[in-house]
Amino acid sequence: MPNSESLAYESLTSYARETALLVDIQSALFWDERTYMPSVGGDYRAEQLAYLSGEIHRRQTDPRQDEWLAELEGSPLAADPASDAGCVIHQLRRDYDKKTKLPQTLVEEITRTGSLAHNVWVEARKANDFARFQPLLEKMVDLKRQEAEAIGYDDQPYDALLDDYEPGAKTAEVAQVLGGLREALVPLVQAIADSPHRPDVSILQRSYPIEAQREFGQSGAAAIGFDFDAGRLDVTAHPFCCGVGPHDVRLTTRYDEHAFGDAFFSILHEVGHGIYDQGLPAEHHGLPTGEAVSLGIHESQSRMWENQVGRSLSFWEHLYPQAQQAFPAALDGVPLDDFYRAVNDVRPSLVRVDADEVTYNLHVLVRFELETALFDRSLEVADLPEAWNAKYREYLGVESPTDSDGVLQDVHWSEGLFGYFPTYALGNLYAAQFFEQAQADIPGLEAGFAEGRFTELCEWLRSQIHSQGRRFAPADLVERVTGKPLSHQCLLDQLTRKFGGIYRL
């Protein structure tokens, strides 16, 4: 006969899986809102999403979870935090304690405001009208300030928001890491800018028919390991990946006939997220053992497939003949080396999602510093456009003539995703360190890419990272996999080698 502890564990896990059903339904509605929902359906969709957020929050803060957890925490099931049961108990306790600090009305209002603000952001960006978006953004910042105060923090309010995406990370620590990376990148960016050996980027601006781009992108996604029997690819305004169940992962991108790299590399990026989601143990769906550990680790997977793999010479040695067949008018007679150098062009730009591999982190740093300023109240929403342009002049030497390509370019703030942006840069650092270790563990890894072999890397990532769920904190997982703590040096070394060769530094 089952004892009380096993009954408590069964009750806890069954309850968590039921809550995951609602989360997945909410994700499906979110995906639909960003892809196929009629534009006039926004107000009602906001109410639907707010209702689901309230129901999910009610379940996540149900006192019965506290009772089950209290019974389990001193039991043998919880003794090893890295075991299946131990991970579930420890992580659900962490989640419960954090969720119970948030009033349900605040959770619902954040979701409702985010849905409304997203639709206003879309229109404001089209019209280059920050003033139209400003009132809802001010409301969202105020709501997120309330959230930070409700959760609590040791040092800075931003810590409470950052923890949602990178558990255990502190604002001061992230600022130090990103600051160190910025200092190291400055001379490399300057050396590249001074090089006379510039790629011919006009190659990528020729006519690439959109339907051919869609077919080629989907073929590339499948080649590196995305399972289209358990996922799909659609079009949206701002590319994203959305999991709506253990066997249902949705990718999105956007196409421009005269910008080959925009869609293709965004597809590779989102495929990296999708491969992670598809690699999580399906039998643990709805439990911490079947969830990604952090957005930074998630981002490491997308950046690795996009950059370390997708912009490598060996990758294009395999795929370039197929690209020439798909786009004969654009690529006929173009040598592989010219194409490879074009997709690795480095130059300061205005838009983060279009940024090159070297300067990308400077875009993230701008957003991180603006966000922390908003939450320590040294910056107000009304002053964001001016502050944005000042930092772009300082860090990248460029200034946007419009807010559409400036402060309005990203969707994240409309959705209240403050604390999210730093994970992009952390993901680059994680990706570099993971890839270095994969190269050590898999002899001939990059040579395999040239032959179309990507399975070995997929399997390595699933074994080392995806299958671990939330058993280890991000910093612990990195050290466990690579044998050393996170550092900017690995990324800097990779960039120096690669771009030193391309630009003959």
Side-chain angles (χ1 to χ4, degrees):
M1 183 174 181
N3 59 33
S4 62
E5 291 169 356
S6 62
L7 288 173
Y9 186 72
E10 182 179 348
S11 297
L12 179 67
T13 54
S14 295
Y15 189 86
R17 290 181 190 274
E18 289 174 5
T19 303
L21 290 172
L22 288 179
V23 173
D24 291 338
I25 292 169
Q26 186 181 49
S27 294
L29 288 175
F30 172 85
W31 169 83
D32 176 71
E33 179 183 51
R34 299 296 189 265
T35 52
Y36 296 112
M37 185 191 76
S39 59
V40 295
D43 289 352
Y44 190 66
R45 181 55 51 86
E47 294 303 315
Q48 291 174 320
L49 292 171
Y51 173 80
L52 282 170
S53 288
E55 290 299 305
I56 292 167
H57 186 68
R58 268 191 286 273
R59 290 187 62 85
Q60 290 172 333
T61 57
D62 191 311
R64 286 178 294 174
Q65 289 188 99
D66 191 33
E67 295 171 5
W68 295 324
L69 288 165
E71 182 170 354
L72 290 166
E73 284 169 319
S75 74
L77 288 171
D80 179 5
S83 68
D84 284 354
C87 174
V88 168
I89 293 165
H90 285 272
Q91 293 302 324
L92 287 182
R93 166 56 76 187
R94 187 183 195 277
D95 296 345
Y96 178 82
D97 287 348
K98 192 168 185 177
K99 294 293 185 183
T100 52
K101 294 177 180 178
L102 294 175
Q104 181 175 316
T105 54
L106 178 60
V107 172
E108 292 177 356
E109 189 58 26
I110 288 173
T111 302
R112 180 181 294 107
T113 301
S115 186
L116 294 172
H118 172 268
N119 296 323
V120 173
W121 166 77
V122 170
E123 296 305 317
R125 187 182 183 200
K126 288 179 182 176
N128 185 35
D129 186 0
F130 179 77
R132 184 184 303 187
F133 180 52
Q134 181 180 328
L136 276 170
L137 182 56
E138 287 174 336
K139 182 177 181 181
M140 181 60 82
V141 169
D142 179 63
L143 290 170
K144 298 300 284 189
R145 285 170 175 166
Q146 293 178 46
E147 179 181 320
E149 294 301 323
I151 292 171
Y153 48 87
D154 294 329
D155 185 17
Q156 302 181 47
Y158 192 75
D159 289 348
L161 306 179
L162 180 60
D163 185 77
D164 275 346
Y165 307 105
E166 205 64 17
K170 301 297 181 185
T171 306
E173 296 169 353
V174 172
Q176 183 177 9
V177 170
L178 296 189
L181 181 61
R182 178 184 60 196
E183 291 177 8
L185 284 177
V186 167
L188 177 59
V189 171
Q190 187 60 54
I192 290 173
D194 292 341
S195 171
H197 304 288
R198 309 301 305 178
D200 179 8
V201 295
S202 69
I203 293 170
L204 305 179
Q205 298 162 358
R206 298 170 181 174
S207 176
Y208 292 84
I210 288 175
E211 180 57 24
Q213 285 193 57
R214 187 193 66 77
E215 292 177 359
F216 183 72
Q218 186 156 320
S219 174
I224 64 175
F226 186 77
D227 181 3
F228 277 98
D229 288 334
R232 56 180 293 134
L233 174 64
D234 294 278
V235 176
T236 190
H238 189 99
F240 65 94
C241 171
C242 180
V244 299
H247 303 291
D248 188 350
V249 179
R250 313 292 177 91
L251 310 178
T252 65
T253 191
R254 61 188 178 201
Y255 298 98
D256 181 334
E257 181 183 351
H258 297 285
F260 169 80
D262 284 7
F264 186 76
F265 289 106
S266 85
I267 289 172
L268 291 190
H269 182 95
E270 302 308 334
V271 162
H273 286 303
I275 289 175
Y276 190 176
D277 286 346
Q278 291 181 340
L280 293 168
E283 67 273 18
H284 292 283
H285 184 72
L287 304 176
T289 42
E291 297 171 345
V293 62
S294 77
L295 279 186
I297 298 297
H298 223 309
E299 188 68 11
S300 76
Q301 306 304 282
S302 62
R303 297 298 281 181
M304 184 185 299
W305 286 107
E306 177 189 358
N307 291 328
Q308 276 86 355
V309 178
R311 295 184 193 271
S312 69
L313 181 58
S314 56
F315 177 84
W316 286 106
E317 285 174 343
H318 168 65
L319 214 61
Y320 191 57
Q322 298 174 40
Q324 288 182 304
Q325 290 180 355
F327 311 105
L331 296 178
D332 184 41
V334 176
L336 169 60
D337 188 61
D338 288 358
F339 180 84
Y340 167 69
R341 296 182 74 242
V343 299
N344 284 289
D345 178 57
V346 173
R347 67 187 68 204
S349 61
L350 294 170
V351 181
R352 176 184 61 85
V353 296
D354 298 334
D356 59 78
E357 192 176 351
V358 179
T359 63
Y360 182 86
N361 290 302
L362 298 176
H363 291 262
V364 175
L365 195 65
V366 167
R367 290 151 176 80
F368 171 63
E369 292 181 353
L370 293 177
E371 287 189 350
T372 54
L374 285 173
F375 285 90
D376 69 18
R377 297 182 182 272
S378 61
L379 177 68
E380 294 300 326
V381 170
D383 299 322
L384 270 174
E386 182 180 350
W388 178 286
N389 287 331
K391 286 191 178 294
Y392 264 78
R393 285 195 300 270
E394 180 182 356
Y395 296 163
L396 289 151
V398 296
E399 181 173 350
S400 175
T402 69
D403 286 338
S404 295
D405 284 335
V407 71
L408 287 173
Q409 70 179 258
D410 294 300
V411 69
H412 303 63
W413 289 344
S414 72
E415 296 172 356
L417 301 180
F418 294 97
Y420 194 124
F421 277 119
T423 67
Y424 287 127
L426 292 172
N428 285 329
L429 299 177
Y430 293 146
Q433 211 155 307
F434 287 145
F435 191 71
E436 181 184 72
Q437 189 62 46
Q439 288 175 303
D441 291 348
I442 308 172
L445 177 63
E446 291 189 88
F449 297 163
E451 299 172 0
R453 298 201 318 267
F454 304 100
T455 303
E456 292 166 303
L457 180 58
C458 273
E459 291 178 348
W460 186 88
L461 293 170
R462 283 177 176 158
S463 170
Q464 299 293 322
I465 298 167
H466 307 170
S467 64
Q468 302 304 320
R470 291 169 59 192
R471 297 172 200 278
F472 308 102
D476 295 335
L477 179 64
V478 171
E479 192 154 3
R480 177 183 174 87
V481 173
T482 69
K484 55 189 178 184
L486 182 67
S487 165
H488 73 270
Q489 193 61 48
C490 187
L491 176 61
L492 182 64
D493 290 346
Q494 289 179 13
L495 295 176
T496 301
R497 286 195 301 271
K498 176 178 177 179
F499 291 95
I502 291 172
Y503 285 89
R504 304 179 194 178
L505 303 180

